[in-house]
Amino acid sequence: MIKRYKKNVYIEAIEFDNSPGNPQAIINFTGLQISVEYTSSGVQLRVIRAAYSVLIVKLGELIVKESDGTLRVSTRAALEAEYELVEDEV
């Protein structure tokens, strides 16, 4: 008989809003170097993981730290469709 199992996983996320202090909070959250870019299409942030591994985050998107420490980008809507908010701040 096939059985299905569910695992509750906690993640953390921070929004890139480019407010004062936000870039430093992202550095503290990721532990990595960042670069804020002002382009013709808007503001974006680059999280520099390695020489050829860069995470590009647009204004208003979230940087998500998975339970294993890996980082990814998500919109708030996509994150809230997959996860339930358990507390506002860690």
Side-chain angles (χ1 to χ4, degrees):
M1 174 184 236
I2 298 172
K3 295 183 180 183
R4 181 177 291 175
Y5 293 88
K6 177 182 170 186
K7 177 181 172 184
N8 289 331
V9 177
Y10 290 92
I11 60 165
E12 296 177 330
I14 186 168
E15 182 177 357
F16 171 52
D17 61 13
N18 205 29
S19 62
N22 183 243
Q24 185 60 50
I26 292 172
I27 291 170
N28 296 343
F29 177 73
T30 63
L32 299 169
Q33 295 180 3
I34 65 163
S35 171
V36 178
E37 300 176 337
Y38 299 89
T39 68
S40 59
S41 60
V43 182
Q44 66 182 24
L45 177 124
R46 290 178 177 261
V47 179
I48 305 163
R49 298 184 285 197
Y52 297 104
S53 179
V54 177
L55 198 64
I56 298 174
V57 187
K58 294 181 180 154
L59 193 63
E61 290 184 326
L62 302 169
I63 301 168
V64 178
K65 187 183 292 182
E66 301 286 354
S67 60
D68 65 358
T70 58
L71 299 173
R72 67 179 172 97
V73 177
S74 178
T75 63
R76 183 171 305 281
L79 188 70
E80 291 177 352
E82 188 176 353
Y83 294 93
E84 175 185 349
L85 181 64
V86 291
E87 54 188 65
D88 287 331
E89 292 186 23
V90 177

